[in-house]
Amino acid sequence: MLHTIPQSLGPVERMIVPPGSARRGKLLLVAATVLLFGVLLAQITDVAGVTSFGFVSWRPLLSGYIIWAGALCAAQVMIRGEAGQRAAFVLPAVLFTVAMVVFPTVFGLYIAFTDWNLSAVAGRRFNGLDNLRTLFADRYFWNALLNMVYYVLSVLVQYAIAFGLALLLNAEIKARKFFRVAFLLPLMLSPVAVSWMIGKSLMEYRFGPAATLARHLGWDNPAFFSTPWLARSSIIAMDAWVSIPFMMILLLAGLQALPSEIKEAAKVDGASGWQSFKEITFPLMLPVSITVIILRVIFQLKLADIVINVTAGGPGGATDTVSSFIFREYRDRSNVGYGTMLAEFYLVIIIIFVALILKGASRWMQRDN
């Protein structure tokens, strides 16, 4: 006699959990969780000076976390069967992200509310909202934040240049493969190398080739980093030279993915090149364009290395970025507590700003559709 499989059993490939396995998995998870929180409590009380376990670092907590992570993966398999096996493939990545991103962020939040200067004898001590009050009164930080507005707005100009280059390299021109490789060369260089090759050598105001050429053209004092607007523009130009190829290659990939039949139909209908771009190419490239701009804005918000190596934020803070300002707070003043408060506050600003961009881009896409 043939028996049908009841619908309540779910998919045929689902692994049958042996009797008692689920209970052992739950006990394993509970035991590992108790161990983890026990080590965490001991670590906290040891740091606070309440107890003395002799913990000289956070390694005991890390060991407890690794044991708990292994027990969690094993418990998922023991409790859920094959569904637990699928979850066990994802859990290591999630747990690694928690260990390397979430935990440092939370620990940094704790450091942000302490007075911790590495050059002070007193060591680390809780100071409440003092760092936050100092931040709101710090005009140098707000000046760096204002500079970020100029740097972020320059992304739109970079996008226009990158789109133009992508259109050029997508067209049928001679030596197209050579130009594709040549335009990608700046992307292969590190920003630190660009800082020294261009900012410290090519644009050096005494013997640099750019300064020498400017003198021959009639510029008496070709100092590219002497005035605020010129220094900021020079930093933006160097950063754009490195970053435009990244935007260009993504846009070029989007252009090559467009269906050629639409363009051919537009030509048959007598559309000009500008009309074809305005009515067909640009609207179809809008999702790629928004992605490219958002990615570039995120990278721009982290701009620091070129500024640190070329101007150190000068003249008068005109080229300073928030990241370079935080770097100097750590390096020059050894002020870990206040520097961490700056970093955490800037992280909140970035999250809110990027979330607003994503929401606005989503609404724009829905409206156009």
Side-chain angles (χ1 to χ4, degrees):
M1 179 181 294
L2 296 177
H3 298 278
T4 59
I5 299 176
Q7 295 294 325
S8 59
L9 292 180
V12 177
E13 70 273 8
R14 180 176 299 174
M15 179 184 295
I16 299 176
V17 180
S21 177
R23 190 166 70 90
R24 289 193 297 270
K26 292 178 181 179
L27 289 176
L28 175 63
L29 183 57
V30 170
T33 304
V34 171
L35 175 64
L36 176 62
F37 278 97
V39 174
L40 176 61
L41 181 62
Q43 189 92 52
I44 293 174
T45 55
D46 187 81
V47 171
V50 178
T51 58
S52 179
F53 291 98
F55 293 162
V56 295
S57 66
W58 289 88
R59 289 181 181 177
L61 181 60
L62 177 61
S63 301
Y65 180 77
I66 293 175
I67 294 173
W68 177 82
L72 177 62
C73 293
Q76 289 295 314
V77 178
M78 297 171 67
I79 296 172
R80 301 172 58 193
E82 187 165 332
Q85 288 183 356
R86 292 194 293 268
F89 278 100
V90 181
L91 278 175
V94 176
L95 296 171
F96 181 81
T97 302
V98 171
M100 304 305 295
V101 177
V102 178
F103 173 75
T105 303
V106 175
F107 181 70
L109 190 62
Y110 159 69
I111 297 297
F113 292 96
T114 62
D115 182 9
W116 188 11
N117 195 304
L118 298 180
S119 60
V121 182
R124 184 177 61 208
R125 60 183 180 84
F126 182 76
N127 67 346
L129 299 177
D130 288 350
N131 288 336
L132 196 59
R133 296 189 189 99
T134 304
L135 183 150
F136 286 124
D138 192 344
R139 63 186 182 90
Y140 297 105
F141 169 75
W142 295 106
N143 172 72
L145 193 61
L146 177 62
N147 289 337
M148 295 308 303
V149 176
Y150 300 112
Y151 290 126
V152 170
L153 289 177
S154 69
V155 172
L156 298 177
V157 180
Q158 297 175 25
Y159 164 75
I161 297 174
F163 208 139
L165 292 175
L167 289 171
L168 178 65
L169 296 180
N170 192 51
E172 296 295 335
I173 60 174
K174 293 183 179 180
R176 182 172 62 173
K177 293 182 179 180
F178 168 77
F179 286 117
R180 286 181 178 179
V181 176
F183 287 151
L184 283 177
L185 288 178
L187 185 61
M188 303 177 189
L189 300 174
S190 70
V192 176
V194 173
S195 304
W196 284 92
M197 288 191 306
I198 299 180
K200 292 289 189 179
S201 300
L202 187 65
M203 301 176 71
E204 204 272 332
Y205 75 96
R206 292 173 299 176
F207 310 111
T212 303
L213 177 61
R215 288 191 186 94
H216 286 301
L217 295 177
W219 188 2
D220 295 333
N221 184 24
F224 294 97
F225 305 103
S226 59
T227 58
W229 70 270
L230 186 57
R232 191 182 300 117
S233 301
S234 300
I235 294 293
I236 290 175
M238 284 187 288
D239 179 59
W241 188 71
V242 178
S243 304
I244 284 176
F246 169 74
M247 305 174 71
M248 179 199 70
I249 198 67
L250 295 180
L251 292 169
L252 179 59
L255 287 172
Q256 292 180 338
L258 294 180
S260 58
E261 295 82 2
I262 300 178
K263 294 182 179 180
E264 293 174 357
K267 289 182 180 179
V268 171
D269 292 339
S272 63
W274 169 249
Q275 289 175 332
S276 178
F277 171 78
K278 180 182 177 182
E279 303 296 336
I280 298 175
T281 304
F282 186 76
L284 291 177
M285 283 289 293
L286 199 55
V288 179
S289 298
I290 292 176
T291 303
V292 168
I293 291 175
I294 290 175
L295 288 175
R296 183 67 192 101
V297 166
I298 292 174
F299 291 144
Q300 191 77 337
L301 291 171
K302 300 185 294 182
L303 175 63
D305 30 25
I306 293 179
V307 174
I308 292 171
N309 285 283
V310 177
T311 64
T319 60
D320 215 359
T321 65
V322 176
S323 298
S324 65
F325 178 73
I326 294 173
F327 171 80
R328 291 199 310 276
E329 194 67 34
Y330 279 106
R331 184 195 65 181
D332 299 341
R333 303 178 183 89
S334 301
N335 199 344
V336 177
Y338 181 56
T340 306
M341 174 59 77
L342 291 171
E344 294 282 346
F345 186 79
Y346 189 46
L347 175 63
V348 173
I349 293 177
I350 291 176
I351 292 174
I352 295 174
F353 180 63
V354 173
L356 291 175
I357 291 179
L358 291 173
K359 187 175 181 179
S362 177
R363 287 185 176 180
W364 190 17
M365 294 291 297
Q366 292 176 358
R367 184 189 64 185
D368 289 344
N369 291 335

